[in-house]
Amino acid sequence: MHPNAADWTAYVDGYCERLAPGLLGEPLNTISNVGFLLAALAIWRQARGHVGPRLLAAGLALVFVASTAFHMLATRWAGAADSAAIALFVLAYAVVFARVFLRVPWRWAWLAVPAFLALGVPVVAGADALGLPGSSYAAPLVALFVLAALTARDAAWPVFLAAGGLFGVSLTFRSVDHTVCGSFPPGTHFLWHLLNAVVLYLVTRTAVTRWVGSPERADPPTAGR
């Protein structure tokens, strides 16, 4: 059965900070999204006018917009948009990684998407079966360490390793949000935003720096590449 309009506009009270409906119901969770915007602006500058890298910056900006909308509006459709923006960026990054670091031609780099899903689905299912909090983000967490392994002979591997560790800390803050409400009413979800902004900036900057350093790789993908 498809959800009706009322379902999509339903109020979502999913975080410690929110006490009632309203645009200002989650001030810290909302403001902390600025981290994604700052990351997007920094990557935009580092892209040096190249279309492909700037699309990654646009993806970060989309995460900012969607997450801000969700924490301001607190509706089901905004939550779906938030999740979709994150998923879109992750899948786009997988394709860019395949091209930039593994030197896969653009015409084959898209296979990184099903490869990620083949890795991610069982990881998420396993985390969910174990009752681990934040199980839906288990796949990106594992993927960061996989990227570190894939770049073991590349100078970029410490960035992916550090990003994986930082994302683990970030995921912990996301998971304990409701458990700290009694002692810390604002909760810890805003730290998830701030740390994730750093994670996304680190991995994106690493890819973009390599991307713009190679004129051939910096060109937008076209047929036959």
Side-chain angles (χ1 to χ4, degrees):
M1 179 179 295
H2 296 289
N4 56 41
D7 291 328
W8 284 112
T9 58
Y11 169 60
V12 176
D13 181 6
Y15 302 97
C16 184
E17 188 178 23
R18 181 165 289 280
L19 300 177
L23 294 179
L24 301 180
E26 299 177 48
L28 286 180
N29 289 349
T30 300
I31 295 173
S32 56
N33 282 299
V34 171
F36 298 117
L37 179 60
L38 294 177
L41 292 174
I43 296 301
W44 184 271
R45 288 190 60 186
Q46 293 163 15
R48 300 177 186 176
H50 292 296
V51 175
R54 281 192 166 180
L55 288 176
L56 283 181
L60 287 172
L62 183 61
V63 171
F64 159 72
V65 171
S67 185
T68 300
F70 178 42
H71 290 287
M72 289 184 69
L73 302 174
T75 58
R76 188 169 296 173
W77 72 262
D82 182 26
S83 298
I86 295 171
L88 181 62
F89 182 86
V90 169
L91 295 177
Y93 190 88
V95 175
V96 170
F97 179 88
R99 174 56 180 161
V100 174
F101 292 100
L102 303 183
R103 302 183 181 182
V104 177
W106 282 117
R107 63 180 177 273
W108 299 115
W110 67 270
L111 290 173
V113 172
F116 175 83
L117 295 176
L119 166 72
V121 170
V123 168
V124 171
D128 190 56
L130 292 173
L132 298 178
S135 58
S136 60
Y137 290 96
L141 176 62
V142 171
L144 285 170
F145 292 108
V146 171
L147 298 189
L150 291 174
T151 55
R153 297 184 180 181
D154 189 292
W157 74 266
V159 175
F160 293 111
L161 187 63
L166 189 59
F167 188 68
V169 175
S170 176
L171 187 56
T172 299
F173 280 123
R174 181 184 187 276
S175 301
V176 303
D177 179 63
H178 277 291
T179 64
V180 302
C181 289
S183 57
F184 189 62
T188 55
H189 192 79
F190 73 97
L191 294 173
W192 156 261
H193 289 163
L194 294 175
L195 292 179
N196 275 358
V198 176
V199 169
L200 293 180
Y201 172 72
L202 287 176
V203 297
T204 307
R205 181 192 65 180
T206 300
V208 167
T209 299
R210 185 71 55 86
W211 206 354
V212 300
S214 172
E216 192 277 333
R217 290 183 202 161
D219 289 337
T222 57
R225 283 195 174 176

